[in-house]
Amino acid sequence: QVQLVESGGGLVQPGGSLRLSCAVSGLRVNMNFMTWVRQAPGKGLEWVSSISHDDSYLDYADSVKGRFTIFRANTENTVYLQMNSLKPDDTAVYYCQTGGKSDTDSARYRGQGIQVTVSS
């Protein structure tokens, strides 16, 4: 059974940082494309970042480029999203999922999501 469990969200002030974790069981993160997406209140899923199974491909949405970093810890079978210089517009539920950017709305496996709120 495949499970993806996000953690690390919460309330942070503008300009602050958070690191999201996605602990995966049932498949190997170093054998799959992994992606972070987010959903702001009243909006659809927005692709944030993807990483290939061998790190040869990393990509970010323009809205987060230079502020967010995606990386994997293969020994922990975990995918991370380091988020710096957070803005109120980053407020959303963040999801970890398998697949790439084109799978944003149709991922085979997706976690339950974690709330990130950026507010003073």
Side-chain angles (χ1 to χ4, degrees):
Q1 182 179 359
V2 177
Q3 285 190 313
L4 288 72
V5 180
E6 300 95 339
S7 61
L11 173 65
V12 63
Q13 292 186 340
S17 297
L18 284 174
R19 178 177 291 184
L20 304 183
S21 301
C22 174
V24 180
S25 59
L27 60 83
R28 300 298 306 174
V29 298
N30 61 352
M31 296 180 67
N32 288 272
F33 258 80
M34 299 298 297
T35 287
W36 287 94
V37 299
R38 66 187 182 185
Q39 187 168 26
K43 297 186 177 180
L45 285 174
E46 176 190 14
W47 172 77
V48 175
S49 181
S50 295
I51 184 170
S52 64
H53 68 287
D54 60 358
D55 291 349
S56 63
Y57 170 87
L58 295 171
D59 200 9
Y60 300 91
D62 288 343
S63 58
V64 308
K65 199 169 292 184
R67 301 187 298 120
F68 290 11
T69 303
I70 188 171
F71 60 101
R72 287 181 288 109
N74 292 336
T75 55
E76 301 168 4
N77 211 36
T78 299
V79 180
Y80 297 92
L81 186 69
Q82 177 66 42
M83 306 187 296
N84 299 329
S85 302
L86 284 161
K87 306 175 181 180
D89 284 349
D90 295 319
T91 295
V93 177
Y94 285 71
Y95 299 89
C96 170
Q97 61 187 46
T98 57
K101 182 177 181 180
S102 60
D103 302 307
T104 294
D105 294 307
S106 59
R108 183 172 184 181
Y109 301 107
R110 180 182 294 144
Q112 83 287 351
I114 190 79
Q115 178 70 46
V116 171
T117 302
V118 185
S119 175
S120 55

